[in-house]
Amino acid sequence: MENLIPLYIVIPLCTAFLIPIIGKFVKGFSKVISTIALISLFVLALNYLFTSNTVTLTNKIGNWEPFNNIPIAIYLVLDGLSGFLLCVIGLIGLLSVVYSISYIKLYTAENNFYALLCLMIAGLNGVVLSGDLFNIYVFLEVTVIASYALVAFGVEKEELEASFKYQVLGGIATALILFSIGMIYWYTKTLNLADIGMILKSKSDSNIIKFCQLVLIAGFGLKAAIMPFHGWLPDAHSSAPSPISSMLSGVVIKVAGLYVIFRIFFNMFIITYDIALVLTVIGTLSMIVGVFLAIGQWDLKRLLAYSSISQIGYIVLGISLGMMIMSKGGDKSLAVLAIFGGLFHLINHAVFKGLLFLNAGAIEYRTGTRDLSQLGGLSEKMPVTSSTSLVASLSISGIPPFNGFFSKLFIIIAAIKAQYYLLGIIAIIASIITLAYFLKFQKSVFYGRTKSVNNNINI
């Protein structure tokens, strides 16, 4: 099984390489090969989850042995958490590829689109599997470079401006991350996550490491678009093609930002209350500010983009709450509940926000607009989109019995039982406001008065 781990990277990388070459001569090759590649990745991830999810698998690229007890090989590590993330990447990627078969007709350069999408997925899988800091950085750059190009894929003014903003802030994030990696390497003389963790446990508390932790939070916080590092997200997510918006919101900001933050903090650093408090404050701010920014939006995709900031806040709150409880020596079962709630919401948000962005693309594809004030009465003309949008809206709003309710409930219960009552109340208020703007979305698009722009829809 260990020998199969590189396939998560090799399959999409080879697909991205083959599409521009063979796609020039074989019509439809990019659609077929991309679909096959994503099905293969999803099946591989499911196979691990159902057969070996209690076992941590390691693949040592090139079989390089440690030098002076320092790991120098490239380690790919597959465990239960990374297995879940690979499954989510494979599922959202597969749905985006299948969705793009018709949607891509709105654009030219079909081969370039599928090649960049596969390159993005290769980078995401690499980030999830890498066992050392430098290769996390390398695969992170592969992911975001593909993302920059895909955000600008329409080559209109709006798309190019959004991509430029994304690149500038992404470049700042990259510089912060690389600087912090350099500082950690200087301090520990190694880049392997497990090795760094062992060295830091044997050393006394250091201001250098605290500084590196804050810099990493800022760098990866920019990638994750958590408050106050969210400036690039609304433009990028609303300007990108809808299947790419689905990937960006459903997968990229979580893997390239949140996953790495929590992976390195749990694997490398000793969890402290101060850092956990910083993450909790950031998560709470994201959660509450995001909903207030979303409720005033009339552009459908911008509404969904601001909503992502709020939902990311729930994920950060859940996991950082668990970190605070652990750092204070509290009830471990409450810490586990909070962390589980955060991870569960990460998976839930990937599914329902991915679905919402795909539905937004379907609405724009059929009507030519995403302005809520210009839409209405689509429930009869687009019944499938209407039904799936309603389910996703209720899920993200935390209405039982949908999945979003349970992940939010776990976080709120953990907060209240740990006596962080204010955090629990804020989480409830944010969920109520979320319901308000998704009811606005449902009424404006599907159940409101039919507007003239919808009279020409041909389904």
Side-chain angles (χ1 to χ4, degrees):
M1 189 70 181
E2 290 87 349
N3 294 329
L4 297 179
I5 296 177
L7 291 179
Y8 291 101
I9 301 169
V10 171
I11 290 174
L13 205 57
C14 289
T15 304
F17 176 75
L18 291 173
I19 285 173
I21 300 172
I22 302 177
K24 286 185 177 181
F25 307 102
V26 181
K27 187 177 180 180
F29 174 79
S30 57
K31 297 177 181 178
V32 173
I33 193 67
S34 299
T35 305
I36 292 172
L38 267 298
I39 290 173
S40 302
L41 292 173
F42 186 50
V43 170
L44 274 174
L46 284 178
N47 178 57
Y48 171 77
L49 286 182
F50 286 107
T51 59
S52 309
N53 61 355
T54 58
V55 180
T56 299
L57 304 176
T58 303
N59 186 285
K60 190 164 54 174
I61 303 297
N63 289 322
W64 287 90
E65 296 299 328
F67 179 77
N68 289 338
N69 294 321
I70 298 175
I72 59 174
I74 297 174
Y75 285 85
L76 300 180
V77 182
L78 177 57
D79 58 15
L81 177 58
S82 53
F84 268 113
L85 266 295
L86 289 171
C87 195
V88 171
I89 294 167
L91 175 61
I92 304 301
L94 176 60
L95 293 175
S96 298
V97 165
V98 173
Y99 180 93
S100 300
I101 291 173
S102 295
Y103 186 87
I104 197 62
K105 294 175 184 177
L106 295 174
Y107 300 89
T108 57
E110 174 184 300
N111 290 335
N112 293 345
F113 175 85
Y114 283 103
L116 287 167
L117 179 55
C118 289
L119 190 64
M120 176 196 288
I121 291 167
L124 289 169
N125 287 350
V127 170
V128 168
L129 291 169
S130 290
D132 67 272
L133 280 175
F134 184 73
N135 284 290
I136 286 176
Y137 164 76
V138 170
F139 284 116
L140 188 65
E141 288 308 293
V142 171
T143 301
V144 296
I145 287 171
S147 300
Y148 299 154
L150 286 166
V151 168
F153 200 75
V155 297
E156 298 293 335
K157 178 182 177 181
E158 180 185 355
E159 287 92 340
L160 294 174
E161 181 181 344
S163 181
F164 178 73
K165 184 184 293 185
Y166 187 10
Q167 289 178 57
V168 170
L169 293 177
I172 294 171
T174 296
L176 292 172
I177 292 167
L178 195 57
F179 172 76
S180 185
I181 290 173
M183 291 289 290
I184 292 170
Y185 179 68
W186 168 77
Y187 188 74
T188 64
K189 306 300 186 291
T190 181
L191 291 168
N192 185 275
L193 294 180
D195 202 33
I196 293 171
M198 291 176 62
I199 291 170
L200 292 181
K201 286 178 183 177
S202 65
K203 290 178 176 284
S204 59
D205 195 16
S206 169
N207 290 329
I208 293 174
I209 294 302
K210 287 182 180 178
F211 175 72
C212 289
Q213 288 175 322
L214 292 174
V215 174
L216 285 172
I217 289 173
F220 288 113
L222 269 165
K223 300 291 187 185
I226 53 180
M227 289 287 296
F229 312 112
H230 67 287
W232 61 270
L233 183 141
D235 290 339
H237 285 206
S238 60
S239 300
S242 287
I244 302 306
S245 298
S246 177
M247 286 294 296
L248 288 172
S249 184
V251 180
V252 173
I253 58 176
K254 297 177 181 66
V255 172
L258 297 186
Y259 170 81
V260 184
I261 288 176
F262 294 115
R263 172 64 82 179
I264 62 178
F265 272 87
F266 278 95
N267 283 25
M268 275 178 29
F269 301 123
I270 298 170
I271 296 174
T272 62
Y273 180 80
D274 293 340
I275 294 297
L277 181 62
V278 169
L279 288 169
T280 302
V281 170
I282 290 173
T284 306
L285 281 174
S286 298
M287 186 171 58
I288 198 68
V289 174
V291 292
F292 283 113
L293 290 173
I295 200 168
Q297 299 300 317
W298 287 93
D299 182 307
L300 175 53
K301 289 182 74 174
R302 289 185 73 86
L303 182 150
L304 296 178
Y306 279 113
S307 173
S308 291
I309 297 170
S310 176
Q311 299 305 311
I312 286 293
Y314 276 99
I315 300 167
V316 176
L317 174 62
I319 300 176
S320 59
L321 179 60
M323 293 170 67
M324 282 205 300
I325 296 170
M326 291 169 61
S327 65
K328 293 178 69 175
D331 188 343
K332 288 186 178 180
S333 62
L334 287 181
V336 170
L337 181 64
I339 293 169
F340 173 74
L343 294 175
F344 188 20
H345 198 69
L346 183 152
I347 296 168
N348 287 342
H349 182 254
V351 175
F352 51 60
K353 185 52 67 67
L355 176 59
L356 284 166
F357 268 113
L358 293 180
N359 282 337
I363 293 165
E364 185 180 11
Y365 185 85
R366 293 299 186 184
T367 65
T369 183
R370 56 179 192 247
D371 185 347
L372 297 180
S373 64
Q374 298 298 315
L375 295 166
L378 294 181
S379 59
E380 294 181 1
K381 295 184 177 182
M382 303 179 70
V384 175
T385 303
S386 174
S387 300
T388 54
S389 292
L390 180 60
V391 170
S393 296
L394 294 175
S395 297
I396 197 172
S397 302
I399 303 300
F402 299 100
N403 57 349
F405 167 76
F406 295 101
S407 53
K408 290 183 179 182
L409 182 64
F410 294 147
I411 296 169
I412 292 167
I413 289 174
I416 292 173
K417 285 199 169 187
Q419 298 183 354
Y420 293 103
Y421 301 113
L422 180 60
L423 296 179
I425 292 170
I426 291 173
I428 294 170
I429 292 171
S431 195
I432 293 170
I433 300 172
T434 301
L435 176 62
Y437 63 73
F438 273 102
L439 288 176
K440 164 187 166 181
F441 158 53
Q442 291 295 315
K443 179 183 177 182
S444 299
V445 176
F446 298 110
Y447 303 108
R449 183 180 300 173
T450 302
K451 306 296 195 304
S452 59
V453 73
N454 303 327
N455 292 334
N456 297 323
I457 297 177
N458 182 23
I459 300 178

